[in-house]
Amino acid sequence: AVSPTVTADDKTTPAPSDLKLKGAVELRDLGNKLFEAQNYLGALAVYKEAYERFPNPKILINIGITLNKLERFAEAANALQRYVDDKEAEPAMRPEFVKAIAEIDKRVGVLELQVDPADVQIQINDGDWSTAPKLHRVTAGSVTLNGKKDGYRTETKTLSINAGERQSVTLGLSL
């Protein structure tokens, strides 16, 4: 038997963007079920996978709320800050999350990061390397910042920050 051939103009074949959206919705729904069952670690893993596959800023809300439930307050505030800063975030929702972030900021330290050059990759404590955000929340205590960029010397800075404290930190790399 010969199997049918699917052509580009076959209306029954979903477009790749439709499949991607369907996958993201399925992941969101699974994450919501896990969250409702109070399996917060499972929900967090699913929400992160959904965001990785389909980086919609609304998923950052789910990630932030789940991290908050897990009492990972600095990470929760960072996820919510990413939502607030995203150009696709709903303007009507921003004030609610700005208020939530302000509440969390009383429990964590806030770093106001300035890096030179601007596209330095940073690592905070043992976290992932990423482009430096302007604001980054950390658990109170000792914090180690590492900065790197091809062609520059790696820079490390260690500091101490208290809960509710805001510190301006400059990390400049030299050639």
Side-chain angles (χ1 to χ4, degrees), residues 126-149:
D126 293 323
D128 295 330
W129 288 91
S130 64
T131 304
K134 291 180 179 150
L135 294 176
H136 190 82
R137 276 86 180 167
V138 294
T139 301
S142 180
V143 177
T144 301
L145 297 173
N146 295 302
K148 71 177 182 179
K149 179 179 166 91

Side-chain angles (χ1 to χ4, degrees), residues 4 9 15 45 52 64 83 98 102-103 109 111 132 137 158-159:
D9 59 353
E52 192 174 300
Y83 173 78
V98 167
E103 283 300 310
L111 302 177
R137 276 86 180 167
T158 302
L159 56 102

Side-chain angles (χ1 to χ4, degrees), residues 41-138:
L41 286 174
L44 179 62
V46 171
Y47 291 143
K48 284 184 172 183
E49 177 69 21
Y51 187 75
E52 192 174 300
R53 288 189 193 179
F54 190 74
N56 183 306
K58 288 182 181 179
I59 300 170
L60 293 170
I61 296 169
N62 298 72
I63 291 170
I65 290 170
T66 305
L67 286 164
N68 198 50
K69 283 285 193 183
L70 290 166
E71 297 184 1
R72 290 165 55 179
F73 301 116
E75 292 173 81
N78 289 330
L80 295 175
Q81 185 70 57
R82 285 177 55 204
Y83 173 78
V84 167
D85 292 345
D86 194 293
K87 65 183 183 304
E88 293 180 32
E90 293 180 35
M93 293 180 69
R94 279 192 174 110
E96 175 184 346
F97 292 108
V98 167
K99 184 178 176 182
I101 293 166
E103 283 300 310
I104 295 172
D105 282 353
K106 295 173 186 175
R107 306 176 90 155
V108 300
V110 180
L111 302 177
E112 296 173 355
L113 299 173
Q114 298 168 1
V115 295
D116 183 35
D119 58 348
V120 165
Q121 292 288 301
I122 65 158
Q123 179 189 45
I124 300 175
N125 294 324
D126 293 323
D128 295 330
W129 288 91
S130 64
T131 304
K134 291 180 179 150
L135 294 176
H136 190 82
R137 276 86 180 167
V138 294

